[in-house]
Amino acid sequence: MLTKRIIPCLDIKNGRTVKGVNFVDLRDAGDPVELAAKYAETGADELVFLDISATEERRKTLADLVLRVAEKINIPFTVGGGISSVEDVDVLLQNGADKVSINSSAVKNPQLINDLAAKFGSQCVVVAIDAKQIEGKWTVHLVGGKVPTELDLFEWAKEVEQRGAGEILFTSMDHDGTKNGFADEALAKLSTMLNIPIIASGGAGTMQHFTDTFKNGKSDAALAASVFHFHEIDIPELKQVLKKNNIPVRI
Amino acid sequence: MKLVIINYGAGNIQSIKFAFERLGVHAILSDDADVIKAADKVIFPGVGEASSAMAKLKATGLDKVIPTLKQPVLGICLGMQLMCNHSTEGDTTGLGIFDVDVVKFSNKVKVPQIGWNEIESLKTPLFKDIPEHSFMYLVHSFYAPKCDAMIASTNYEVDYASALQKDNFYGVQFHPEKSGKVGQEILKNFCQL
């Protein structure tokens, strides 16, 4: 049986891992490759590297990092952050990334989704969507949730699927950082409406939240950062709990 | 041992190269028919869309070379699918090594299948010492149905062939290079065929 995936997310700044709560108080947390290797050994099913640096050299730094990760890590990984062209993606995939995640650039230029799917295949195109509820309507936001758009989450998700995305990574800004659980109602709606896998993000605080998002949120995968980085939840124990709750996991 | 990865512009070959390096095997990337023919082992990778990958293969003339190879050949993911008779993806005629037609999952399940799934009914030395129900990483929308050449099966909507074998040709739908320690063991077994 296809198992549900647990995905730690590593924030990368200038080639180093950073840890912080809600992007505040960023601390250097060492070499991303070493941290990634630890996660791979302890049962992470996949990894996401999100580049949050804003320097001129970021493209090259990220491409170098991808190569170093591919050399050491024997599980799949996705790279995101500032990717805006077919050329950007070409370099990252050639260096060994399995998938790329695009967010703002997809909203600004939706044709990019079609172009990436046609050139590299849908399986490597993850579209990340950040949204929060404004007067009851799930509204897509850009720039890490700072800038609202006119787009409705569900309409945009549908369009993203039709354009050829292979997966959607949905982050609820309302839940992110709260540790009160994932946005399971919206996730379940996405998962039922669409026929591509949905990755839940934002709100993980307890192991129960993971059970809930797989059961009630119908999520195919769950992503989290701080609960894993600060060892509030360790993946081997989490997977045992999920298994006890009859959720198919790889152990 | 000389291991060659066929480099025809369709596939995440860097990851495969690194996976062999972790096993201490230096892999050569090549699209040269003579280099490929002279190899002890050949890897036929593939990621992306079937008809465009096949077009790239034809452009290099390698579509004629691969079926004539005598040494162990391992097709991975789309590489395995292209070794079959036909794929409904882009209505693509394959290399005809495995006598089976590749078809698409229906919309009763999420497509693509992405993630870790079990392999079972394992046959041939490719799976020597690999436990039944081991988890492998898969990413695909099309699959080879059960057939005589099946040497591993996986369930997603249906039981399908997640690995195939005929004579010196092997194919795996999953990505051993991304499937942790067990995937690495399978690549090691291939090196020892």
Side-chain angles (χ1 to χ4, degrees):
Chain A
M1 189 189 265
L2 180 66
T3 55
K4 301 288 187 181
R5 287 169 282 154
I6 300 295
I7 310 177
C9 178
L10 283 69
D11 290 331
I12 306 296
K13 197 172 183 185
N14 306 327
R16 302 281 291 176
T17 316
V18 287
K19 283 182 190 178
V21 179
N22 297 342
F23 289 92
V24 183
D25 199 18
L26 292 177
R27 280 192 285 129
D28 184 281
D31 180 19
V33 182
E34 278 173 34
L35 187 57
K38 246 176 230 167
Y39 280 129
E41 275 161 30
T42 53
D45 296 304
E46 240 179 85
L47 297 165
V48 168
F49 295 88
L50 186 62
D51 188 35
I52 57 167
S53 48
T55 56
E56 294 286 320
E57 308 81 42
R58 63 173 311 200
R59 276 195 171 77
K60 197 182 170 304
T61 314
L62 187 60
D64 288 347
L65 173 67
V66 167
L67 197 62
R68 288 203 297 128
V69 172
E71 196 176 353
K72 287 280 180 309
I73 305 298
N74 57 12
I75 61 169
F77 67 96
T78 303
V79 181
I83 296 167
S84 59
S85 70
V86 170
E87 293 72 40
D88 287 349
V89 173
D90 201 17
V91 172
L92 298 171
L93 295 181
Q94 271 188 31
N95 280 10
D98 298 280
K99 305 184 239 183
V100 293
S101 161
I102 54 171
N103 189 335
S104 302
S105 57
V107 173
K108 286 175 196 153
N109 171 24
Q111 178 63 29
L112 180 63
I113 305 168
N114 304 61
D115 294 347
L116 294 178
K119 182 148 194 301
F120 307 108
S122 291
Q123 82 291 331
C124 68
V125 184
V126 182
V127 175
I129 305 178
D130 298 340
K132 67 176 160 195
Q133 294 183 86
I134 296 176
E135 290 165 6
K137 183 175 173 257
W138 279 98
T139 309
V140 177
H141 282 60
L142 301 182
V143 202
K146 290 190 199 84
V147 181
T149 68
E150 298 289 308
L151 293 169
D152 169 77
L153 164 66
F154 303 103
E155 284 166 22
W156 174 233
K158 189 79 205 162
E159 181 178 341
V160 156
E161 180 187 41
Q162 282 162 353
R163 286 180 179 275
E167 252 178 322
I168 287 176
L169 166 57
F170 166 52
T171 303
S172 162
M173 306 309 301
D174 293 337
H175 297 70
D176 202 27
T178 65
K179 299 200 172 183
N180 286 331
F182 295 94
D184 291 329
E185 208 176 309
L187 283 159
K189 190 171 166 186
L190 281 175
S191 203
T192 310
M193 215 177 81
L194 305 180
N195 203 43
I196 55 175
I198 309 292
I199 306 167
S201 160
T206 67
M207 291 197 260
Q208 184 63 38
H209 294 151
F210 287 85
T211 300
D212 291 344
T213 201
F214 291 133
K215 282 202 168 160
N216 309 332
K218 298 184 165 60
S219 305
D220 298 285
L223 176 142
S226 63
V227 288
F228 296 136
H229 300 331
F230 295 111
H231 294 283
E232 290 161 27
I233 295 176
D234 285 326
I235 295 171
E237 195 190 347
L238 170 61
K239 286 198 162 178
Q240 290 297 341
V241 169
L242 291 172
K243 194 183 171 191
K244 266 184 211 149
N245 289 321
N246 295 318
I247 290 159
V249 284
R250 175 182 71 112
I251 291 178
Chain B
M1 189 188 62
K2 212 165 110 190
L3 184 131
V4 172
I5 303 173
I6 302 179
N7 185 11
Y8 64 110
N12 189 345
I13 49 179
Q14 196 63 256
S15 296
I16 300 174
K17 187 171 187 281
F18 283 140
F20 280 106
E21 274 171 14
R22 287 193 288 269
L23 289 169
V25 176
H26 176 68
I28 300 157
L29 310 180
S30 180
D31 64 351
D32 183 321
D34 291 332
V35 174
I36 295 166
K37 281 183 199 164
D40 297 312
K41 302 279 187 317
V42 175
I43 302 290
F44 177 34
V47 166
E49 196 271 334
S51 64
S52 54
M54 199 48 158
K56 283 176 191 164
L57 209 57
K58 281 185 175 164
T60 54
L62 291 171
D63 61 317
K64 299 278 188 295
V65 176
I66 295 168
T68 67
L69 294 172
K70 299 288 176 243
Q71 65 276 61
V73 178
L74 179 66
I76 298 176
C77 196
L78 182 62
M80 182 209 86
Q81 294 185 0
L82 294 180
M83 289 160 86
C84 298
N85 282 338
H86 180 267
S87 173
T88 49
E89 187 178 28
D91 190 16
T92 306
T93 302
L95 299 177
I97 294 167
F98 303 126
D99 187 16
V100 60
D101 291 346
V102 173
V103 295
K104 194 174 185 180
F105 289 118
S106 83
N107 59 9
K108 286 180 198 146
V109 287
K110 291 201 175 182
V111 182
Q113 170 177 223
I114 299 183
W116 298 77
N117 202 336
E118 291 161 79
I119 53 170
E120 56 188 300
S121 308
L122 307 178
K123 290 180 200 147
T124 79
L126 185 67
F127 297 110
K128 183 178 172 277
D129 299 330
I130 304 297
E132 289 282 325
H133 303 286
S134 290
F135 287 103
M136 291 289 131
Y137 184 75
L138 298 132
V139 187
H140 62 126
S141 304
F142 295 80
Y143 68 94
K146 286 172 99 166
C147 57
D148 288 345
M150 182 169 90
I151 55 167
S153 122
T154 292
N155 181 276
Y156 192 65
E157 186 182 11
V158 293
D159 285 330
Y160 68 93
S162 48
L164 298 165
Q165 182 257 331
K166 192 193 170 196
D167 305 327
N168 55 316
F169 294 98
Y170 293 77
V172 290
Q173 181 61 65
F174 50 84
H175 286 274
E177 77 280 11
K178 290 285 171 179
S179 296
K181 285 194 182 111
V182 186
Q184 197 150 316
E185 283 302 306
I186 293 172
L187 292 179
K188 198 167 147 192
N189 285 344
F190 176 72
C191 290
Q192 288 166 355
L193 285 175

